[in-house]
Amino acid sequence: MNCRLGCGACCIAPSITSPIPGMPNGKPAGVRCAQLNDDNLCKIFGQPERPDVCGEFAASIDVCGTTNEQALWLITDLESSTC
């Protein structure tokens, strides 16, 4: 499955513990990444400063569903079950 451009759920719902430019301590779950632009696209996509965890994310129907809203709900649910 390919990511839906402009979804951004994987840049909002999960916590990220590694440093991100503009977020040196990572980001908490449910907080919009500082590198997510107004169109929900990553400003550092393909750049070395992008956290490895972001580059390793693979979209799948189980995680992303069929809509952006469903992706946000599913990833939020997965995040809360891992705490």
Side-chain angles (χ1 to χ4, degrees):
M1 173 179 180
N2 293 321
C3 286
R4 287 184 297 275
L5 287 180
C7 174
C10 60
C11 303
I12 300 167
S15 60
I16 298 175
T17 57
S18 50
I20 302 166
M23 302 179 108
N25 298 316
K27 70 166 227 56
V31 172
R32 187 179 178 83
C33 178
Q35 296 302 318
L36 194 60
N37 73 16
D38 291 341
D39 294 322
N40 283 345
L41 300 174
C42 180
K43 294 187 256 181
I44 57 173
F45 186 85
Q47 302 298 314
E49 33 311 31
R50 186 173 179 224
D52 289 342
V53 68
C54 298
E56 293 167 0
F57 178 80
S60 71
I61 195 73
D62 295 340
V63 175
C64 302
T66 58
T67 66
N68 299 353
E69 294 78 18
Q70 197 174 41
L72 189 58
W73 185 86
L74 286 167
I75 297 171
T76 298
D77 188 56
L78 286 168
E79 175 71 25
S80 66
S81 69
T82 60
C83 295

